[in-house]
Amino acid sequence: MNPVALLTPTYGRDLEICTLLCESVDRHVTSFSRHYLLVPDCDLPLFAPLASERRIIIPASSFLPDWLRPLPRMIQRKRRQFWWSLRTKPVHGWHIQQVLKIAATITLPYERFCILDSDIVFFRDFDLARFEYPNRIPLLKMQDAVTADQPRHSRWLETSHRLLGLPTPPFPAPDFIGHIIFWDRLTTRTMVDRIEAATGVSWIEALCRTREFSEYLLYGFLVENDPDAAQRHSVVPKTQCISYWDDPTLSKDELKGLLRRADKDDVAFSIASFSGTPVATIREVVAESDAILAPSLAPAAAEFAASC
């Protein structure tokens, strides 16, 4: 069996929340091979203390071509770092993180990967043994979730199909974007081959030229349109992560309320960094998670006891 590797693209501004992710992985996640943090070269010293026997810090330059270089930190817009080249318009760190996920998946010596963004925090045990190769892995698919009135998603839908050489489907269309996402190496390799065949350039150059794309939509639609890839996946309507995508900052009580709504299968939550919810608040709630979740587990325990 080939164990799952964990991938987390991150950068300096997410150091505090990424540290909390790493602590929660060490506490709750089992049966994985390595946890790789993919970071800009200039941020390596910041993340060095997180390295361990099972956690490897890899500079972004290890996966990027020589023609794609980061601009100096002094040249930033809204505190975002950009990468430049003579082949495409500049791309910012969010694009680079998507590229790194793909590049790491087809390069690192594992067959299966679990992608964890920096803002994910585990609050229950999560055993990855059942996702080892050659077992099937889950493919998140939310049916009819992308509609014409969603400007960004609708553009990503179009570019995903153009990059894969596929006709764009009508609305509504499925969405594949979420947290705790599993990828298969061979499927990802097929995806980049399709991109290169459809565009006539390297897959990284094609993505940098496009700029408006979603790596998860690319992967999801590739699986939908490739019978061999589909055989390696099992479609699921949700992941085991509670996601908060909104702007308003969460108070401690609101975050507790979010956690109380966890299903019995949920193992983690994710609070979007743009919400501005303080990491200290998240850390406090995580420390109290057992007590917060206990009431929601009580009915299930009573039901189990009654059936015995």
Side-chain angles (χ1 to χ4, degrees), residues 12 30 42 52 75 80 109 128 151 158-159 161 178 190 195 228 232 236 239:
T30 55
C42 58
S52 66
I75 307 176
R80 291 178 175 177
L128 296 174
E158 188 277 327
T159 56
H161 284 74
T190 301
I195 293 172
D228 291 336
R232 305 181 197 112
V236 297
T239 67

Side-chain angles (χ1 to χ4, degrees), residues 215-231:
E215 77 283 37
Y216 294 143
L217 291 187
L218 277 167
Y219 188 94
F221 285 117
L222 182 282
V223 174
E224 278 217 321
N225 289 274
D226 187 288
D228 291 336
Q231 289 297 313

Side-chain angles (χ1 to χ4, degrees), residues 52-274:
S52 66
E53 182 180 351
R54 301 183 73 185
R55 181 165 296 109
I56 314 297
I57 319 299
I58 304 184
S61 61
S62 299
F63 299 112
L64 300 177
D66 291 339
W67 54 261
L68 187 59
R69 300 293 183 90
L71 286 169
R73 279 287 173 97
M74 64 185 70
I75 307 176
Q76 293 187 351
R77 183 173 178 267
K78 296 182 179 180
R79 297 177 64 191
R80 291 178 175 177
Q81 187 175 17
F82 284 78
W83 273 252
W84 72 280
S85 76
L86 297 176
R87 304 187 185 190
T88 73
K89 292 180 180 179
V91 293
H92 60 63
W94 181 60
H95 294 119
I96 294 299
Q97 287 193 359
Q98 295 184 76
V99 168
L100 291 176
K101 294 174 188 178
I102 299 170
T105 299
I106 62 177
T107 303
L108 293 172
Y110 299 95
E111 297 298 326
R112 296 287 161 74
F113 294 85
C114 178
I115 302 174
L116 306 171
D117 289 340
S118 296
D119 55 17
I120 291 174
V121 181
F122 288 90
F123 56 82
R124 286 183 182 142
D125 293 345
F126 190 39
D127 186 357
L128 296 174
R130 67 186 184 276
F131 306 118
E132 293 177 345
Y133 179 84
N135 297 333
R136 290 190 177 198
I137 53 175
L139 175 72
L140 172 67
K141 179 182 178 181
M142 295 169 285
Q143 193 66 46
D144 297 338
V146 179
T147 56
D149 60 352
Q150 297 172 303
R152 299 185 76 182
H153 276 68
S154 58
R155 287 197 299 271
W156 295 340
L157 178 74
E158 188 277 327
T159 56
S160 296
H161 284 74
R162 177 168 52 81
L163 286 165
L164 293 170
L166 298 170
T168 304
F171 294 104
D175 192 0
F176 302 91
I177 300 173
H179 294 104
I180 310 184
I181 298 296
F182 287 88
W183 277 6
D184 169 75
R185 184 180 62 82
L186 182 55
T187 301
T188 310
R189 181 73 256 177
T190 301
M191 180 180 78
V192 302
D193 289 345
R194 289 279 189 89
I195 293 172
E196 292 181 345
T199 63
V201 297
S202 73
W203 66 271
I204 293 181
E205 183 173 343
L207 294 185
C208 289
R209 286 183 179 182
T210 302
R211 302 176 84 222
E212 296 254 7
F213 67 92
S214 162
E215 77 283 37
Y216 294 143
L217 291 187
L218 277 167
Y219 188 94
F221 285 117
L222 182 282
V223 174
E224 278 217 321
N225 289 274
D226 187 288
D228 291 336
Q231 289 297 313
R232 305 181 197 112
H233 299 77
S234 296
V235 173
V236 297
K238 66 183 291 291
T239 67
Q240 294 177 260
C241 183
I242 311 165
S243 299
Y244 179 77
W245 298 96
D246 297 328
D247 290 329
T249 298
L250 292 177
S251 66
K252 184 176 178 180
D253 287 342
E254 289 170 331
L255 186 49
K256 286 181 178 180
L258 185 73
L259 204 55
R260 287 192 186 98
R261 294 197 292 274
D263 292 339
K264 60 182 179 63
D265 294 327
D266 288 329
V267 297
F269 65 83
S270 171
I271 308 299
S273 58
F274 52 75

